Amino acid sequence: MHCPPYCHNKEIHDECGVFGVHNHPEASTLTHLGLYALQHRGQETAGIVSSDGSSKFNVHRQSGLVADIFRQKVLKKLKGHVAIGHVRYSTTGSSVSCNAQPIVAGYWDGEIAVAHNGNITNAQKLRQDLERDGAIFNTTMDTELLIHLIARMRNCGFAEAFVESMRKFQGAFSMLGVKGDTLIIARDPRGFRPLVLGRKDDAWIVASETCAFDIIDAKYERDVEPGEVIVINNEGMTSFFPFVHMQPKLCVFEYVYVARPDSIINNQSVYRKRYKSGRALAQESPVEADLVVPIPDSSNVAALGYSHESGIPYQLGLIRSHYVGRTFIEPDQKIRDFGVKIKHNAVAPMLRDKRVILIDDSIVRGTTSRKIVKMVREQGGAKEVHVRVASPPWKHPCFFGIDTPNQEELIGSRMNVEETA
Amino acid sequence: MHCPPYCHNKEIHDECGVFGVHNHPEASTLTHLGLYALQHRGQETAGIVSSDGSSKFNVHRQSGLVADIFRQKVLKKLKGHVAIGHVRYSTTGSSVSCNAQPIVAGYWDGEIAVAHNGNITNAQKLRQDLERDGAIFNTTMDTELLIHLIARMRNCGFAEAFVESMRKFQGAFSMLGVKGDTLIIARDPRGFRPLVLGRKDDAWIVASETCAFDIIDAKYERDVEPGEVIVINNEGMTSFFPFVHMQPKLCVFEYVYVARPDSIINNQSVYRKRYKSGRALAQESPVEADLVVPIPDSSNVAALGYSHESGIPYQLGLIRSHYVGRTFIEPDQKIRDFGVKIKHNAVAPMLRDKRVILIDDSIVRGTTSRKIVKMVREQGGAKEVHVRVASPPWKHPCFFGIDTPNQEELIGSRMNVEETA
Amino acid sequence: MHCPPYCHNKEIHDECGVFGVHNHPEASTLTHLGLYALQHRGQETAGIVSSDGSSKFNVHRQSGLVADIFRQKVLKKLKGHVAIGHVRYSTTGSSVSCNAQPIVAGYWDGEIAVAHNGNITNAQKLRQDLERDGAIFNTTMDTELLIHLIARMRNCGFAEAFVESMRKFQGAFSMLGVKGDTLIIARDPRGFRPLVLGRKDDAWIVASETCAFDIIDAKYERDVEPGEVIVINNEGMTSFFPFVHMQPKLCVFEYVYVARPDSIINNQSVYRKRYKSGRALAQESPVEADLVVPIPDSSNVAALGYSHESGIPYQLGLIRSHYVGRTFIEPDQKIRDFGVKIKHNAVAPMLRDKRVILIDDSIVRGTTSRKIVKMVREQGGAKEVHVRVASPPWKHPCFFGIDTPNQEELIGSRMNVEETA
Amino acid sequence: MHCPPYCHNKEIHDECGVFGVHNHPEASTLTHLGLYALQHRGQETAGIVSSDGSSKFNVHRQSGLVADIFRQKVLKKLKGHVAIGHVRYSTTGSSVSCNAQPIVAGYWDGEIAVAHNGNITNAQKLRQDLERDGAIFNTTMDTELLIHLIARMRNCGFAEAFVESMRKFQGAFSMLGVKGDTLIIARDPRGFRPLVLGRKDDAWIVASETCAFDIIDAKYERDVEPGEVIVINNEGMTSFFPFVHMQPKLCVFEYVYVARPDSIINNQSVYRKRYKSGRALAQESPVEADLVVPIPDSSNVAALGYSHESGIPYQLGLIRSHYVGRTFIEPDQKIRDFGVKIKHNAVAPMLRDKRVILIDDSIVRGTTSRKIVKMVREQGGAKEVHVRVASPPWKHPCFFGIDTPNQEELIGSRMNVEETA
C-alpha cells in the first residue's frame, strides 16, 4: 500500500472536529454545544459560521476553548437556522489563529463557508496548479483549495461545483460546506475520518462523533457513508456517491485515542473497540504480574479489557492532571522527568514492590512512554514494569487506515517492551 | 459533638490549597509548580507572595488557573528565597478576585503575608470584637482576622504574636505566614485540613498534599501534626504545640473527594483509603448486578474497590468532559438533564440492558446524583440502577471530621438508594 | 510659610479628580460622564462606588481610561442613587491598580467609601500612631488613614466621625465619603485643591472642576468653600466649617496646567487666568520677536495672552501628538531629542529664520524645555528662541499654594531664559 | 469631471497612512515610529510586515492604536531590513480587524505584501472580472485586487507584474508592495493621496506625510510624483512613469483636515496652506465680530489666518477632549447636544455676550456644526455666531481632487451661515 510521506508529520496530521446544523432556529447554540462535546478533537481554535439563507454569513473564530469563546454575547450575533462549526488541533503553534476554520470567502456566485477534518494528500500538487493558474492563497490550509476549485467552476451551481471540486481531492476529508441555506456534507471514499448524521426535531445534524448528538438530545440516524455526499436545502435531503469506489479504511487512531469512548463511529462503539483490543492484547501478549495500570486517560478502557481477560487486578496507578497549560518554567535545579510529571504522577503506595503491566494506547510518543516507565519504577517503586501497547506497531511507513474486516486480528501489540527493575 | 452551622454552607466550605518554601533560590518557581499540582483544591484564584528577607514582598494574585497566571514574566518578578502560595475554591462568584490570597498587610512591625486553608468558626465574634476596637476590614476572609490580631500584639515578636493570635481561633486552619524571611506554619488542634512537610535540597517545603512534593522532586518528611506550629528562619526550624490538645478529626471529605488520590495525608494513602472504602461498601451493601460504574473522577477508585470485593466487573460507563467552562447557553428547546450532560455522558453500548451499580463519592449533591441515575437509565438503557455512596450519610448536622481510629468502620454507606427500571 | 518636603516629589504630588452624585436614579452613569470630563486629572486608574442606601456598595475600579473601563455592562451593575468616582494620576507605575480609589472598607458601623484628591502632610505621623494602636494597612494611600480614624470613633455617627477624623489631617484634601445614602464632602481650610458644587434636577453634584458639570448639563451652584464640610442625606443638605480658619491658598498649578481651561474654579475662569497671566508676562518680560509660539496644550492660552498684549503674531509652531502610549522603543541609531519628539514636532516652514518667543506653562520639567528649545532652533530653523514661563519660579522649596489676592502680580516670569542661534 | 458615486460614502472614503523602509537594520522599529506619527490618518487598525529578503514575511496586524500594539515583544519578532506598515481609518466597525493591512498572500512566485492608501474607483468592475475568472476574495479591500492581478501575470517578474496590474486601476492609490527585499512604491497619476520619499542613513524611507520623517530624523528628499513608480532593491533605486499622464489633483481634504499641519505634502506646508485659506476666507467673507474661534483641532490654523487677516482677536473658545472612546451611555434624562459634548465644551466666560466667528474646516458633518453653534450660543452665551468654512462647498457631487494652480482662489467659503441670538 502506498503511504504518503505527510503521514509521519504530526504537524499536518489533523484531528479536527466538525459539526453542522440545518433548519433549527437555534443553530449556532446547538453548534456551540456540539463543538464543546468535540473539544477533545482540537483545543487550539474554534469557529462557527451561521447563515439565515441570505448572502451574508455571521462568523466567529478565535483561538481558545469552546466554553470560553462562545459566550452569550457572541452567540447572539450568530443568527440563522443553518450553522457549521469547527475545532482545530494543531502542533504548529505559530500560525495559530489565522488558520482557524470554518473558512469564508466570496466568489462570483456569492459567499461560501467550509469546515474540514482531514488531509488532502495531493494538496501540494493542486495548489501548484492553482497558483500557476493565478490563484492566491491566504492560509496554509488545504481547505482553501476547495474554495478555489469551486470558484473556477463557472457553469454550474454550488452543489455541482462542490462535488466536482472534491473529486479532485485525494486523501482524507470529512467536509461541511454552506452557501445560502444549503448545507453540503462530504466524506472521502475511504472514510478515513468519522462523520455521523442525526436529527433533532426538524433539523438535520452532522458531527464528527455521536457524543456531540448526546449533549443536544439529537438522535443518531446513521454514519455518513464513505464516499457519500449529502445536500440538504429547503427542498429536503439528497444523497449520492460521486467518487470512485474504494475499500473503506477508517483511521485506526480514531478508535485508539482520537475519538471519545462514548461515541459510536462507523456503527461501532469506540469504548467496546478499545475494551476488545485490551482483551485481545491479553491473549496475544500475556505476562505474569500483580497489576494492570493504564496511562490515563486514553488507555483506561483498553487496560480494563486486559485486566478482565487476564484476571490481573486493574489499578489507577497513574493520576493525570487536567489543568495542563501552555508552558511551565522548570527550576534550574532540574526535576527528574519534568515534562511527564506535569501531566502524570505515580501512586506509589499501590505500585511499590509490584509487578506492573502498563497499558499505553500507542507508541507514537516513544520518549513519553520511556519516561513514564521510569517514573513507575523509580518514584512508584514497582518491581517490574511491562509495557503493552493497545494498537498495532508502525511496521509500515504509514498505517493511516486499516481494513475494518481484519481490524480485530490486527489490534494487539506485536511489540513487547519488557523492563525489569 | 458540637457542629457549627456554617458546615452546611458550601459557599463558605473552603477547600483551598496552600504551599510554602523556605530557603530555595527559586522559591516562587517551586511554588508555582506546587500550586499547579494542588489546582484541584481551588480553581478560582491563585496567588504567590515571595520575600528575599527585606521588608517588601513581591505579590501576584489573580483569578484563573495556575498554569495561565504564572507565566515567565510574572515569575521573574517574584524574587526571593521564601515564598507562600494559595489556590482558592469558591462558589460565591461575586467577590472573586478581591478575596484572593495570600493576604498582605502592613502594621507597626512591617509587612506580613498569610495564606489559609480552613474555616474559623468563631470568625464573626472575633470580627465584631475587632470592629468594636476600631478595626476596618477590606475583605470577607477570615484570614484578615489573623493580621488584625497580630497587629494588636505590641509587645512581642512576629512568631509569638502569630501564635498568640491563632490561639483565639476556633475551627479549621492550615495556615502559612511570612514576615521577612521567617516562615510560620500552623495546623489546628484537630487537624481538619491536611498539611505536610517536606524537603528539597536545603529548603523546607510545606503543602496541603504530597502530590505537590512529587512534582518538584521534594521528599516527604512527615505531616505537620494537628496543633503543631513550626517556625522556620535562618537559625533553623522550631516546632511546638501551643494549643489546647483535642482529639484529631481530619475532614472525611479530604479522603472522599477533595484530595488527589496520589497524595498521602495524615500518613495514609488517599488512594488506598478510597479503595478500601469501596471494598467495605461492597461488604456492607452488596447487590446483584452486572456492572460497577463510577461517577468520574472522584468515585473511580472507590468503585474499583467495590468491583474487586464483589467480583462484579468494573466499567467506565460514564465519560466526563474536562473542558467545563463557566456558563453554557441552553437552547429554548430544553435538553434533558442539560446541566449533567455538560459534564458527563453515558456509554450506552456498555450499559444497555445491564444491572448497574453506580458508585458516588458522597451525597452532598443529591440532585446531580438523581439526574445521573436518570441518564444511565434512560439514555444509557440500563435495566436496573443501584446507587452506592462511598462515604457516611449526613446523620448529624455536621460531620466535619471523624475519629481516625474508627474511620474504617464508618466508611461505607448505610443509605441505600435502589432504582429499578 | 512652612513647606513640606514631599512637595518636590512628583510621585506623591497628586492631581486626581473626584466626582459625586446624591439622589439621581442614574448616579453611576452621571459619574462616568463626569469622570470622563475630569480624565485630564488622572489617566492611570478610575473607579466608581455606587449605593442604593443599603449596607452593600457596588464597586468597580480598574487601571485604564474612563471611556474604556465603564462600558454598559459595568455601569448596569453600579446601581443606586448615590455614587462617587475618582480618576488617579500617578507616576509610580508599580503599585498601579492596587491603589485605585474610591476605597471601600467595613467597620463596626457598616461599610464606607472614600475618594480623595490631595496630600495629607502629616500622613506618616498619623500612620505610625495608628499602627502603634494596632491598625493594619493594605495600601500606601493617605485615604486609608481616614477610614481607620473613623473606625476608631466608637461613640458618634458617621458624619461626626468623618469630621472629627478630618480635623486630624494637615495638608490638602478634597474628600468625598459615602455611607448608606449619606454623601459627605470636605475641603481643607486652605482649599489647595478645587471642589465645586452643582445641581442636576433634584440631585446634588460635586466635582473637582466645572467642566464635569457641563458634560451632564448640571448647573454650577458655587465652590465648596475652603474649610467647608457638607453633609447630604435624605433630610437635605447641611454645611459647616469645623476646621481652624486659615488663609486660602489654591494650588497655583491648578490654574497653570492642571485644570481644564473651560473650568471655573474658586469662582474664576481658568482660561481667563491663563490668558491674563500671558498678558502680564508680556508686560513684565517683553522681547522683540516675530512669533509667539505655545508649547501645546497647556501653554496655548497664556501664549495667546502674550501675543495679544505684545502685538506679536501667535503661531502654532509646535504640533502635539495625542496618541502617546506607555513606551516607545528607540532604534539603536539614536534619534535626536527622541523623548520630546514622541510628543511634539516643530512646524519648520513657520519657524525658519524667525525670532520665536516660546511660552511654557512652568519650568517643572526643565530638561523637556531645553530639548524643545533645541528642536525649535535646530529642526525648526528659528533664528532666536526666547523662553517665557507663565508661572512664578520656584524660589521657595515649595510654592504649593499662593495667596489669591496677590496672585495677579506674582504670575509672570522673573526668570528669563534667552537662547540665541 | 466625472465623479464616482462612492465619493459621498464616508465609509469607503479612505484616509489611511502608509510607511515603508528599505535597507535599515531596524526597519520595523522605524516603521513603528513612523506609523505612530501617522496615527491621525487611521486609529482603527495598524500593521507591519517585515522581510529579511527570504520568502517568509514577519507579520503583525491588530485593531487598536500603534503605541499599544507594537510593544517590544512584538517588534522583536518583526525582523528584517525591509518593512512596510499601515494605519487604517474606517467607520464601518463590523469588519474591523479582518480588513487590517498590509495584506499578505502567496502565489506562484512566492509571497507578497501590500499596503494601500486610496480608493480604486473601478474596483467593482475589476472584482467582477476576476471573480468571473475564478478568483476568490477574503476581504472587502480594494487592495486584494492588486494581488489577484499580479498572481495572474505569469510571464513576468514582480516589478513588471506590479506595474502592469496597477495600470488597470482607476482612482486613488498610494501603494507600497514588498517581495523578498524589493520594495515598490506607486502613486496614481493624479496624486490624490500624498506620498513622500526620504532617507535615513543608507535607508530609503517612504511615508504618507513628512511628519513621519521628523520623528525618526529622516531627511525629506522629495515627493513621490503623481504617476511615478519607484522600485528599490539591492541594486539600487529606479523610477519610471508607466501610467497615462493626467492633470494632478491632490485631494483638497488632505490640506483641509486629513494631514498633520507640521507635514509637507506636494512640496507645500500644510500649516501654511491652512493659514492662507483662513486669510483668504477673511478677505472673501468678512464679518464684524468680537472673536474668531476655531472648532479644534482641525480648524485651529485656518482660524488663526482669519484672525490675523481680519484683526479680530483669536480665542480658544471651544475645548476638545482627547480621551474619546468608542461608546458613551447617555442617561435617560437626555443631555442637550450629548454627542457634541463628549468631544467639545464651550468656554463660557470668553464667549458670553460676544459676537463670535466660528471657523470650521469643512461642512462634511453638517449636523455636528449645527450642534456646536447651538452650544456656543446657548451654553457659551454668545450674542451672535457666524460660521465660516475654510474649504470650498460641495457644489459638485464630488470634489475629490482639485487643480492645484487654482486652489488658492477656490479656498474660501461661498456658503455663509449666519446665526444670530
Side-chain angles (χ1 to χ4, degrees), chain C residues 13-63:
Chain C
H13 186 97
D14 213 344
E15 303 153 11
C16 304
V18 295
F19 188 92
V21 177
H22 188 275
N23 192 32
H24 195 284
E26 297 172 279
S28 62
T29 300
L30 294 184
T31 305
H32 162 223
L33 293 168
L35 290 182
Y36 165 73
L38 296 171
Q39 183 79 78
H40 61 287
R41 297 185 73 89
Q43 294 92 47
E44 194 159 283
T45 68
I48 296 179
V49 171
S50 70
S51 168
D52 61 1
S54 71
S55 62
K56 214 180 155 320
F57 289 126
N58 305 299
V59 184
H60 193 89
R61 292 173 302 214
Q62 202 178 314
S63 51

Side-chain angles (χ1 to χ4, degrees), chain A residues 26 36 201 214 217 262 271-272 308 314-316 321-323 331-333 336 341-342 345 349-350, chain B residues 26 36 43 201 214 217 262 271-272 308 314-316 321-323 331-333 336 341-342 345 349:
Chain A
E26 297 172 277
Y36 165 74
D201 312 321
D214 293 343
D217 271 349
D262 50 332
Y271 189 105
R272 193 182 296 273
H308 289 177
Y314 181 81
Q315 289 291 2
L316 298 160
S321 168
H322 291 284
Y323 304 107
D332 292 337
Q333 293 171 44
R336 262 177 309 154
K341 276 191 179 162
I342 286 303
N345 193 21
M350 303 309 286
Chain B
E26 297 172 278
Y36 165 74
Q43 295 93 44
D201 313 319
D214 294 342
D217 271 349
D262 49 334
Y271 189 105
R272 193 181 296 273
H308 289 178
Y314 182 80
Q315 290 291 2
L316 299 160
S321 168
H322 290 285
Y323 304 108
D332 292 338
Q333 295 171 43
R336 261 177 311 155
K341 277 191 178 162
I342 286 303
N345 193 23

Side-chain angles (χ1 to χ4, degrees), chain C residues 107-122:
Chain C
Y107 73 119
W108 63 271
D109 201 20
E111 284 202 344
I112 44 177
V114 178
H116 175 217
N117 172 211
N119 278 293
I120 308 306
T121 58
N122 60 336

